[in-house]
């Protein structure tokens, strides 16, 4: 639809926090499902931290990601997280920010229960934090 309007005041989103949480319906097709990460139920937090470290998530982003997603996955189930990087995410959900940021990094993960191990990630997109930058991350869970 129309999207959101958010303002940065005093270095903070709307002067009240540093992130915008949203939920959206996205198409199930068109995402890469070749390379990914196995997120084991018994080592969920460690596996997620390792995965996020490859992209350059900072400590707060890593903590927020793990805090939210570790409890929103079925407890005893292993998952595969397929990374979707900036160009792929932009192709599905374009982003318009005024003034235009110097850097935009959008890293989403398409998650589904583990059936077979994916190929290993060969060249993760590293988050760039120079000047006015925007970092967006999230998870899409395939409905079963």
């Amino acid at each position: 639809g129309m999207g959101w309007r958010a303002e940065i005041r005093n270095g903070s989103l709307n002067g009240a926090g540093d992130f915008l949480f949203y939920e959206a319906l996205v198409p199930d097709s068109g995402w890469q499902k070749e390379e990914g990460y196995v997120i084991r139920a018994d080592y969920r937090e460690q596996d997620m931290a390792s995965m996020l470290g490859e992209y350059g998530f900072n400590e707060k982003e890593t903590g927020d990601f793990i805090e939210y997603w570790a409890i929103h996955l079925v407890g005893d189930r292993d998952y595969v997280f397929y990374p979707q990087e900036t160009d792929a995410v932009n192709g599905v959900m374009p982003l318009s920010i005024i003034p235009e940021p110097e850097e935009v990094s959008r890293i989403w993960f398409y998650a589904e229960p583990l059936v077979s191990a994916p190929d290993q990630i060969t060249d993760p997109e590293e988050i760039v934090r120079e000047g006015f930058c925007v970092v967006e991350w999230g998870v899409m869970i395939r409905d079963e």
Side-chain angles (χ1 to χ4, degrees):
M2 296 298 294
W4 303 274
R5 177 176 173 83
E7 295 179 12
I8 303 298
R9 293 193 302 261
N10 298 323
S12 178
L13 186 66
N14 295 332
D18 58 352
F19 63 88
L20 171 66
F21 175 85
Y22 69 91
E23 293 182 355
L25 295 175
V26 296
D28 191 49
S29 61
W31 303 109
Q32 80 81 18
K33 298 176 193 162
E34 305 289 324
E35 294 184 343
Y37 299 90
V38 174
I39 305 297
R40 302 165 294 172
D42 291 339
Y43 301 96
R44 188 163 286 158
E45 293 183 11
Q46 297 93 323
D47 288 348
M48 286 181 177
S50 176
M51 171 185 75
L52 300 174
E54 291 190 22
Y55 288 89
F57 278 55
N58 65 29
E59 186 176 331
K60 181 169 183 359
E61 292 161 346
T62 299
D64 289 348
F65 186 105
I66 292 170
E67 177 184 354
Y68 186 84
W69 287 107
I71 62 171
H72 281 83
L73 301 175
V74 175
D76 62 350
R77 182 173 286 167
D78 295 339
Y79 283 84
V80 176
F81 275 44
Y82 298 101
Q84 313 303 317
E85 298 177 350
T86 303
D87 288 342
V89 177
N90 283 343
V92 176
M93 295 179 72
L95 184 63
S96 173
I97 300 174
I98 300 169
E100 188 173 330
E102 295 169 49
E103 300 289 344
V104 176
S105 297
R106 302 177 82 188
I107 311 295
W108 291 8
F109 297 93
Y110 183 97
E112 62 184 10
L114 174 66
V115 174
S116 63
D119 294 339
Q120 288 189 328
I121 302 300
T122 55
D123 190 23
E125 176 183 319
E126 189 157 340
I127 294 171
V128 177
R129 300 174 196 276
E130 294 177 9
F132 172 37
C133 64
V134 171
V135 177
E136 178 187 20
W137 53 263
V139 175
M140 301 170 279
I141 296 183
R142 182 171 181 258
D143 286 337
E144 299 180 65

